[in-house]
Amino acid sequence: PPPVVKDLERAAPKIQAGVDWFYFELLPGIEKEDLGQCRKALGSSAEGSYVSPLDSEITFPFNQLASANIEADEDGWSEDIRNFQKAVTAMSDSVGSNDWKTVKAEFKKGKDALNHIMSNINQRAEGAAPFQLMDDDYPARQGAYVQGKKDMMRSRNQQATLLGR
């Protein structure tokens, strides 16, 4: 529907950045069984007052898209969003108890939920697909992800300098 298209143009880059965070920040922590890195990536309360990009750049924007899509339930979007949220919660709980087998299984569930909703949106897109799925080619995005982080930090530092901080 047209409202979804308009919202998608705005939300897709933000969501893809959140998916990059999920893949390039959380997954390495899981693979290394690094409690601190996983807590930071998941947005643990142990990391202080902090909203994880998993919420701010994935869950919130996907919920906005789903609310604009009257067929979100039929399309499986609502269930995918819930499944992603459940996986993130289960990962958070399991990281705290060092249950890395469960963390890895829940990461896969979260990844599958995100890929399902992004694939559904890509299939409906007119023109270029708005999302790159987390598949065998996804690691090739890492260079662009790292550059994006550097550009963001450079921009923040320039703004702070201009504001005299």
Side-chain angles (χ1 to χ4, degrees):
V4 177
V5 172
K6 183 179 176 186
D7 289 341
L8 182 61
E9 290 172 359
R10 176 190 45 76
K14 184 174 201 149
I15 292 169
Q16 191 71 62
V19 172
D20 285 346
W21 176 269
F22 180 73
Y23 193 90
F24 296 119
E25 299 294 335
L26 179 57
L27 181 57
I30 293 170
E31 290 171 340
K32 294 184 288 189
E33 298 184 358
D34 183 329
L35 182 68
Q37 185 174 352
C38 288
R39 281 185 169 164
K40 181 180 178 193
L42 289 164
S44 167
S45 59
E47 294 297 314
S49 179
Y50 166 74
V51 176
S52 169
L54 301 180
D55 289 326
S56 63
E57 296 187 12
I58 297 177
T59 304
F60 300 159
F62 267 141
N63 276 325
Q64 289 172 334
L65 287 176
S67 70
N69 178 8
I70 58 173
E71 298 173 356
D73 288 338
E74 293 84 0
D75 293 340
W77 294 13
S78 300
E79 184 177 357
D80 289 330
I81 295 165
R82 280 191 303 274
N83 287 342
F84 175 73
Q85 290 175 298
K86 287 178 191 174
V88 169
T89 299
M91 281 187 281
S92 293
D93 293 345
S94 299
V95 161
S97 60
N98 285 313
D99 180 359
W100 296 103
K101 182 178 179 181
T102 299
V103 173
K104 291 171 185 173
E106 293 298 327
F107 179 88
K108 183 179 181 333
K109 288 179 187 177
K111 176 183 165 187
D112 290 347
L114 292 176
N115 274 344
H116 184 263
I117 192 171
M118 291 187 304
S119 176
N120 183 280
I121 293 170
N122 283 351
Q123 290 169 4
R124 296 166 173 220
E126 295 177 10
F131 298 113
Q132 183 172 348
L133 304 181
M134 291 175 280
D135 56 16
D136 292 340
D137 296 329
Y138 204 78
R141 282 187 60 82
Q142 188 163 15
Y145 172 70
V146 170
Q147 186 60 49
K149 280 178 54 174
K150 288 178 183 177
D151 292 347
M152 182 181 66
M153 289 305 296
R154 190 176 306 113
S155 173
R156 284 183 182 172
N157 289 340
Q158 287 172 346
Q159 288 175 344
T161 300
L162 291 173
L163 294 173
R165 292 183 181 162

